[in-house]
Amino acid sequence: MDFITHRKYPFIVALLLLLLTVVVFLLSSTSTDTSTIVSYFQAQPQNATVSLSPPPLIRDTDTDTSSTDTNQNAAAPPPLITNETTDQNDNSSNAVGDDAAFDLIKWDVCTGPMAVDYIPCLDNVEAVKKLPSIRHMEHRERHCPSPSPRCLAPLPVGYKLPVLWPKSKDMIWYNNVPHPKLVEYKKDQNWVRKSGDYFVFPGGGTQFKEGVSRYVGFVEKTLPKIKWGKNIRVILDVGCGVASFGGYLLDRDVITMSLAPKDEHEAQIQFALERGIPAILSVIGTQKLTFPDDAYDLIHCARCRVHWDAQGGKPLLELNRILRPGGFFIWSATPVYRHDDRHRSVWNAMVNLTESMCWKAVARSVDSNRIGFVIYQKPVSYSCYKNREENTPPLCDGKNNLNSSWYVPLSNCISRLPTDSKGNLHSWPTPWPQRLSSKPPSLPPDSEEAFNKDTTHWYALVSDVYVGGLAINWSSVRNVMDMNASYGGFAAALIDQPLWVMNVVPIDAPDTLSIIFDRGLIGMYHDWCESFNTYPRTYDLLHSSFLLSDVTQRCDIADVAVEMDRILRPGGYVLVQDTLEMINKLKPVLHSLQWSTNIYHDQFLVGKKGFWRPTGGET
């Protein structure tokens, strides 16, 4: 007792000091986000608009690129405002009691055999039934329902948070994409295998049964001027399978847009995105791909089952449109190395078509497994076009809007080579990684200042606010979409992060998509009043900067929110920079979807999606 009596007071004092230390630590850690974002704004001049909105885009048709909404808060922003709902899995009405205007929204779960993987514009059965023909893959093209559906795609039974990158490149949860058809259908080609609770990806493919690394090395050996990750940075892989080709090239500083239709090769694009590899659902049918002219450094097709000479060669002319002058097309297909009558006929048709388009066959080879390819190169000048004996196919009319490809039929003409304002042909972009920050060849001279301001703006905002100052766990973020990408500054600022960005240029925004590709980034056109060509649960973060004011003039904000909910993974984030008025319109809609939200500095909303579905429970 004497021992305890003599020491009780020092013991109590020590305990109090320990408790005080813990409290101070907790308070300092919870204020990190606030101090980071506040210090960023304090570092900006009082009249600086760069902290509130990206610099305006400049285009010849613009007379006034300023916006009342985006500049109305040009003075120093008010202090941080945080408004977080209860846990995202809490579906009680009390969780969003401050949003009475949306208390009456009753979301329904999508039903039917395609509900879990529902893509409204690609799963419109009624519209497909009315098509006069499906000869040219019309049934795989976009047919958006009207009005836009507001049902929520249910989760697959047993769905879990995705495997994190880079482990996900080699294995994903089976229950997240429970489609075993490819395992059996491609069992001899090593596309994908099932192993316990996982799908695993050995790196095989139809044309590279011994592995994609050996195949890529064979291409490089055949044509050494293809310098992966230097001269060749941006690739389109047509008929990509599970995207092992593009996945492997990520380690070579190559970004590949893997493309395939939603067809009998069940869920191949969904596999790719679950793995964390860039991919999109599309088909070369009767309409142009939603990419700009002269975008890709190289296009790859390994048994992609496209009849390139169909419709008078329109599918190959479409590849010519989106291939950069001097760019390469790798055709790895049986007509290259099999010589029976049927394959010889296809080969001869391809030879005639490519010669008429002035494509030059720069390499042709067959490996030890008797698998081969031919590599074509697009011309860099008009000399061959002028020397053709027949003007077939003709050059496209120079007056056409060459970058217009949203719901536009395929052309039967050769797209013209890109030129600057003085009529000089564009040069090849500088090698990667200098390409990211160099002046893009397609950038108009009067837009250089806006481009430079945009780059500076996003590097500062991303490093000072987005990465360190908001409640986002970036270690869980792999698939990112910038919903209105402008010059691609947001993606450029994240280039050192282990993620990739799909840069979307809205169809009613200034057309900057060529500039994005020139920088060595990928993207596409889209209308946010319609659904995106991707499966549900395929992105970890959606970002938009002053997009919603324009979009909601044409469609309801609830329609935009339900599409965000569809394509975002549970546990994923929406990061919205906008006016406080627009944020206050979006926030209650997200709350009705049982998302948690935070608002920072009256202009940043961070929403986090949970596992809630209208049926009530988690799976």
Side-chain angles (χ1 to χ4, degrees), residues 297-602:
D297 306 333
L298 184 147
I299 300 176
H300 176 253
C301 159
R303 297 279 290 278
C304 55
R305 299 198 304 168
V306 178
H307 300 291
W308 297 114
D309 61 330
Q311 308 176 66
K314 285 184 178 180
L316 199 65
L317 286 166
E318 175 63 2
L319 288 198
N320 181 78
R321 180 185 72 83
I322 63 176
L323 183 62
R324 188 178 299 279
F328 301 98
F329 173 54
I330 301 177
W331 187 40
S332 181
T334 51
V336 177
Y337 53 88
R338 294 181 182 173
H339 305 293
D340 56 87
D341 291 343
R342 183 173 66 88
H343 286 97
R344 187 178 293 111
S345 175
V346 175
W347 171 254
N348 290 336
M350 191 69 165
V351 168
N352 293 334
L353 179 57
T354 53
E355 288 182 350
S356 71
M357 294 166 50
C358 291
W359 281 16
K360 182 180 180 181
V362 292
R364 183 182 180 187
S365 188
V366 178
D367 67 9
S368 58
N369 296 308
R370 305 187 64 80
I371 299 293
F373 52 75
V374 60
I375 304 177
Y376 297 100
Q377 187 172 23
K378 179 178 174 177
V380 296
S381 72
Y382 282 101
S383 59
C384 174
Y385 298 138
K386 294 178 180 178
N387 294 328
R388 291 183 300 169
E389 293 183 2
E390 296 183 7
N391 189 31
T392 304
L395 288 172
C396 296
D397 187 345
K399 297 180 181 180
N400 289 343
N401 183 0
L402 297 180
N403 283 350
S404 176
S405 61
W406 184 250
Y407 290 123
V408 175
L410 292 177
S411 298
N412 59 357
C413 57
I414 299 174
S415 62
R416 293 183 175 269
L417 303 179
T419 58
D420 60 21
S421 58
K422 297 181 180 180
N424 300 316
L425 294 173
H426 284 178
S427 60
W428 192 272
T430 55
W432 183 264
Q434 292 81 7
R435 176 173 175 172
L436 184 66
S437 54
S438 301
K439 177 187 174 182
S442 59
L443 182 70
D446 58 358
S447 298
E448 288 187 40
E449 182 179 359
F451 173 81
N452 292 332
K453 286 183 178 180
D454 183 85
T455 299
T456 301
H457 163 80
W458 284 112
Y459 272 104
L461 188 60
V462 168
S463 63
D464 296 344
V465 177
Y466 281 10
V467 173
L470 303 181
I472 295 175
N473 177 15
W474 287 93
S475 66
S476 67
V477 173
R478 172 61 186 172
N479 301 349
V480 178
M481 179 184 291
D482 194 356
M483 298 173 67
N484 58 326
S486 182
Y487 294 118
F490 170 72
L494 287 168
I495 200 64
D496 292 328
Q497 298 289 329
L499 52 80
W500 64 275
V501 180
M502 176 71 79
N503 294 281
V504 177
V505 172
I507 59 169
D508 56 349
D511 187 356
T512 54
L513 196 51
S514 292
I515 295 170
I516 289 171
F517 275 92
D518 281 349
R519 301 187 74 177
L521 306 170
I522 59 171
M524 59 190 304
Y525 301 110
H526 186 59
D527 180 356
W528 283 113
C529 289
E530 298 180 1
S531 75
F532 195 77
N533 274 19
T534 192
Y535 285 92
R537 305 170 301 279
T538 47
Y539 283 87
D540 300 303
L541 186 144
L542 308 177
H543 171 259
S544 76
S545 179
F546 300 102
L547 165 72
L548 297 178
S549 296
D550 291 334
V551 173
T552 52
Q553 292 180 14
R554 298 185 294 110
C555 53
D556 196 298
I557 194 169
D559 294 327
V560 181
V562 76
E563 178 62 5
M564 289 179 175
D565 182 272
R566 189 185 70 84
I567 67 179
L568 196 66
R569 292 167 166 173
Y573 301 92
V574 165
L575 171 53
V576 174
Q577 182 186 24
D578 220 304
T579 63
L580 184 59
E581 177 185 6
M582 184 53 61
I583 286 174
N584 285 334
K585 291 180 181 179
L586 175 63
K587 181 168 68 76
V589 186
L590 297 183
H591 286 182
S592 73
L593 292 165
Q594 305 300 316
W595 289 29
S596 64
T597 62
N598 288 299
I599 300 175
Y600 297 86
H601 239 279
D602 278 0

